[in-house]
Amino acid sequence: MNLSSTIKSIQDIMRKDDGVDGDAQRLGQLTWMLFLKVFDQREEEWEDDNAKYKSPLPERYRWRNWAAHVAGAEGKKAPQKTPTEIVGFINNELFPALKEHIDASKSPQHKVIKQVFEDANNYMKSGPQMLAVIEKLEEAINFHDFKTRASLGDVYEQMLNDLRGAGNAGEFYTPRAITAFMADRVNPRLDIRETVMDPACGTGGFLTAAIDHFRNQLSTKSSAEDKRAIEELIYGIEKKQLPHLLCTTNMLLHGIDVPSQIEHRNTLGIGWNEWSANNKMDCVITNPPFGGYEDDGVGSDYPADLRTRETADMFMALIIKKLLKENGRAAVVLPDGFLFGDGIKGSLKKLMLRDCKLHTIIRLPKGVFAPYTSIKTNLLFFTKGATVDDGTERFHTDTIWFYEHPYPTGYKSYSKTKPIRLEEFKPEQEWWGNEANDFADRVENEYAWKVNFKTKREQAEAAAQPHWQRAEDLNNQAAALEGHATDLRKSLVGTTDAAHREKIDAAITELRAAAEPLRLQARDAQAAGDRIYWPIFNLDIKNPNAAEEEIHDPDVLLEKFKQLLGEIEETENQLKGELAAALAHHFSSPEANDA
């Protein structure tokens, strides 16, 4: 029986157990057992290399001393625990020991064990079924066999792919074609020891892609130090227990012997000012969870203009401001909603376009993340610009290239059985060019187009500036009136003359009444300028080179008609607002103009 069939048969055994409910629990159960089995065999290798090696696990709880089959009196291998003993041993001895009595401060290995088991669970209730699973693992998993080791990594990836249909657990899986393409384009370099981080690492797909990318840079001339360095260049943080367990085991299967840099904690729960220069990375590659919200209080210390509880937005603020080094490179998966969103999303896009060079957006079609979500997604590639602190606002983004990834011929959507494949990205890879020459070799085609953001921004700023200047002037006039009123109020201190007080109070009332319409006019003028300026941060830009799709479906046509009516109404409201702001000064009070 091959390895893939063995894993399927193990999952079938677990389906018979009353304690295991659903694919996510089956995978979690299998993974902690697989982790201990593989870790034990890796320990055998470390013991061979170092006679003084000491396991972080107490002897009684190492796989070899409770789960591994051992030869009996007749030489036939048999389990060490009986069906009546095994579940009680795991629940009452093994798990309490690994959860409560491992000191994470002793070594990186201790830390890995502690984090893997602190929230892990044994779901199986049946002793015979548990022993049947152990027997299958004993028969199939020989991590000393390099062929088995390689195929086990592939089988594990397939198991994670299967998780896509397991309810909310699917959010932690990014198709391997996407992770490999993004790692390839970001191109972390082993020779100069570039660090790679995924701050929402899920099951570790981006990190394994980065590991593979590093290993592809090894040659016969590479040193042992080059090979060892890979382990120290990979960083991940994952909030939830199951994907952290899956990720840690994934790292082990991909040759990261001590995956201590995969942390089990909430990235967004780390205080804004707790991040230091030492946390900055050369490369960030991630698919942050979108559509979710953090608990109250999380992110409350973010800068006021970036304060939000929406998870993807919080991750973007962190990546731009805290995680990327100067000239560091990032690739991030984001939904369409981020591209066209305003408010905090608009502020984040301005921050990204100002502080970073957003050079490429790959627009993916629907279904890439099916069945977990049908939302259309995009791959954003950007580079952190060097800090310029001369008191002016400088934007590092001048030109943004878009590439619309098409479905393969004959496809109308992707699915679990027809996923996106890495080969589909070959046209993008051939078109890509080189950032060193500002992608001078890129050309527009039926899928690729560019937007001159610098020109759009300069034109919008020029058009908005008169409105903003008028808003500033009106606010200054209002402030002068309010300041005069404040001075008059101060002049009354100690005054007992009732007639004089009444006269001054009347003057103060007039001044404040005159200031109020100026404030309203200033607000309208500011809004008129903002309506001109902020739309430049709408990055939901359609392909201008695509042929117009002919639509005959009446429901689709009706929906497009409703959308068009809404756009017309919005344009009318904008024109009314701008006209009102432009004419507002004709209706200001004579007293205000005289002030």
Side-chain angles (χ1 to χ4, degrees):
M1 184 182 292
N2 65 31
L3 191 56
S4 180
S5 299
T6 299
I7 297 297
K8 284 185 171 59
S9 69
I10 288 174
Q11 291 175 317
D12 288 339
I13 293 169
M14 289 183 182
R15 286 187 178 91
K16 300 173 187 175
D17 193 295
D18 293 339
V20 188
D21 183 18
D23 288 339
Q25 286 191 1
R26 277 189 285 276
L27 186 53
Q29 177 78 26
L30 174 58
T31 301
W32 73 254
M33 298 176 74
L34 184 63
F35 175 88
L36 286 178
K37 165 72 172 170
V38 171
F39 189 81
D40 191 65
Q41 293 196 324
R42 292 295 289 123
E43 286 196 300
E44 291 176 10
E45 296 174 12
W46 300 332
E47 287 165 344
D48 289 341
D49 295 337
N50 178 10
K52 295 182 179 179
Y53 173 82
K54 183 170 176 58
S55 175
L57 294 166
E59 280 298 314
R60 178 173 170 76
Y61 304 120
R62 299 174 77 178
W63 179 272
R64 66 187 70 176
N65 294 325
W66 66 270
H69 284 199
V70 294
E74 300 177 2
K76 185 179 179 181
K77 286 195 172 185
Q80 299 182 58
K81 302 287 182 184
T82 67
T84 55
E85 293 175 321
I86 186 71
V87 174
F89 168 79
I90 291 171
N91 290 340
N92 302 325
E93 295 188 48
L94 178 70
F95 267 73
L98 301 188
K99 284 173 178 280
E100 300 164 16
H101 302 302
I102 299 290
D103 184 354
S105 66
K106 279 191 173 181
S107 75
Q109 287 180 320
H110 285 79
K111 177 184 173 184
V112 170
I113 301 292
K114 178 75 171 178
Q115 289 195 337
V116 161
F117 282 94
E118 63 185 351
D119 290 316
N121 292 290
N122 172 48
Y123 297 105
M124 296 187 74
K125 294 180 178 179
S126 165
Q129 308 293 7
M130 173 65 77
L131 289 179
V133 170
I134 291 173
E135 183 178 12
K136 292 288 185 184
L137 288 173
E138 283 289 283
E139 290 174 355
I141 309 301
N142 178 11
F143 210 62
H144 301 314
D145 179 348
F146 285 96
K147 185 176 179 181
T148 301
R149 186 179 295 193
S151 61
L152 184 57
D154 293 338
V155 170
Y156 192 76
E157 290 291 325
Q158 184 56 48
M159 289 161 55
L160 297 178
N161 182 40
D162 292 343
L163 188 64
R164 293 173 73 178
N168 290 335
E171 70 186 278
F172 306 112
Y173 181 86
T174 302
R176 293 303 168 247
I178 301 292
T179 61
F181 172 70
M182 291 171 70
D184 175 68
R185 294 299 87 191
V186 171
N187 189 27
R189 288 174 52 186
L190 180 60
D191 59 340
I192 56 176
R193 302 295 192 258
E194 288 191 315
T195 51
V196 180
M197 182 187 201
D198 182 350
C201 65
T203 59
F206 285 107
L207 299 181
T208 57
I211 292 165
D212 291 341
H213 186 78
F214 278 136
R215 290 200 174 127
N216 288 336
Q217 298 170 49
L218 294 171
S219 68
T220 54
K221 297 180 180 179
S222 297
S223 66
E225 179 56 37
D226 287 331
K227 297 174 184 176
R228 283 196 299 271
I230 296 174
E231 184 166 309
E232 298 173 358
L233 298 175
I234 299 295
Y235 295 83
I237 306 178
E238 174 50 46
K239 174 184 178 180
K240 298 189 178 180
Q241 181 275 328
L242 174 59
H244 176 264
L245 167 62
L246 300 175
C247 181
T248 303
T249 305
N250 208 2
M251 295 297 101
L252 205 62
L253 296 178
H254 280 79
I256 303 300
D257 288 343
V258 187
S260 59
Q261 292 175 170
I262 310 302
E263 295 192 69
H264 184 197
R265 63 191 301 196
N266 182 4
T267 304
L268 301 180
I270 300 171
W272 183 260
N273 293 320
E274 290 180 47
W275 297 98
S276 70
N278 294 331
N279 300 123
K280 291 184 182 291
M281 298 285 156
D282 296 296
C283 304
V284 174
I285 315 175
T286 189
N287 176 7
F290 46 80
Y293 291 86
E294 278 293 333
D295 296 335
D296 291 342
V298 176
S300 59
D301 60 343
Y302 279 39
D305 60 334
L306 302 177
R307 205 165 292 157
T308 176
R309 289 172 53 220
E310 205 281 324
T311 48
D313 292 348
M314 294 178 74
F315 274 106
M316 282 301 289
L318 272 183
I319 291 166
I320 297 165
K321 296 299 290 184
K322 296 294 185 178
L323 300 184
L324 270 185
K325 292 180 180 178
E326 284 191 6
N327 301 312
R329 307 180 300 285
V332 184
V333 182
L334 288 167
D336 275 4
F338 181 84
L339 297 192
F340 62 71
D342 51 19
I344 288 291
K345 286 178 170 45
S347 297
L348 281 167
K349 284 179 284 186
K350 179 180 179 181
L351 177 70
M352 174 174 59
L353 295 165
R354 187 193 70 195
D355 290 7
C356 305
K357 176 183 176 184
L358 174 65
H359 55 79
T360 311
I361 298 178
I362 304 293
R363 308 218 62 178
L364 298 176
K366 287 184 178 179
V368 171
F369 290 87
Y372 172 63
T373 180
S374 61
I375 294 173
K376 288 182 70 175
T377 51
N378 307 270
L379 313 180
L380 276 63
F381 296 84
F382 52 93
T383 300
K384 181 73 175 287
T387 302
V388 180
D389 189 11
D390 61 0
T392 62
E393 185 172 63
R394 298 191 179 192
F395 280 76
H396 284 90
T397 300
D398 289 340
T399 301
I400 306 171
W401 281 91
F402 291 79
Y403 197 107
E404 187 170 50
H405 185 86
Y407 285 121
T409 304
Y411 278 52
K412 290 186 177 179
S413 184
Y414 294 111
S415 66
K416 190 174 176 180
T417 56
K418 294 194 297 185
I420 192 168
R421 295 168 294 118
L422 181 59
E423 308 90 81
E424 294 176 37
F425 287 100
K426 189 174 180 181
E428 284 99 317
Q429 291 170 321
E430 293 173 346
W431 163 86
W432 199 267
N434 194 327
E435 188 173 358
N437 68 1
D438 202 22
F439 302 104
D441 299 327
R442 286 182 175 179
V443 295
E444 294 195 60
N445 58 45
E446 61 179 317
Y447 302 116
W449 69 99
K450 64 180 176 180
V451 170
N452 189 332
F453 176 74
K454 181 180 180 181
T455 298
K456 281 181 67 174
R457 176 176 57 80
E458 290 175 344
Q459 290 175 345
E461 286 175 347
Q465 192 58 46
H467 298 283
W468 290 338
Q469 186 60 55
R470 174 168 166 72
E472 184 178 349
D473 293 342
L474 289 165
N475 277 322
N476 287 339
Q477 291 177 40
L481 293 172
E482 291 161 351
H484 189 192
T486 300
D487 291 340
L488 288 176
R489 176 63 63 193
K490 289 178 181 177
S491 72
L492 290 176
V493 175
T495 301
T496 58
D497 186 331
H500 178 67
R501 293 187 69 91
E502 186 176 342
K503 181 180 177 182
I504 295 299
D505 283 341
I508 291 172
T509 300
E510 282 186 27
L511 287 168
R512 288 179 174 166
E516 185 176 353
L518 292 176
R519 290 293 188 193
L520 293 174
Q521 291 167 41
R523 185 189 65 188
D524 290 342
Q526 180 69 38
D530 288 349
R531 282 195 296 271
I532 295 169
Y533 178 71
W534 282 98
I536 66 172
F537 298 108
N538 180 358
L539 302 178
D540 185 24
I541 299 171
K542 307 306 178 188
N543 184 356
N545 304 324
E548 187 68 30
E549 184 180 4
E550 195 169 348
I551 299 172
H552 302 286
D553 187 328
D555 291 334
V556 176
L557 289 171
L558 181 60
E559 187 60 36
K560 287 178 73 70
F561 178 66
K562 289 179 180 177
Q563 183 179 348
L564 184 59
L565 287 177
E567 291 172 358
I568 292 171
E569 184 180 0
E570 183 179 351
T571 302
E572 286 178 343
N573 290 335
Q574 285 183 4
L575 288 172
K576 287 176 183 176
E578 288 165 21
L579 184 61
L583 297 177
H585 67 282
H586 290 299
F587 303 102
S588 58
S589 64
E591 294 87 347
N593 290 328
D594 293 339

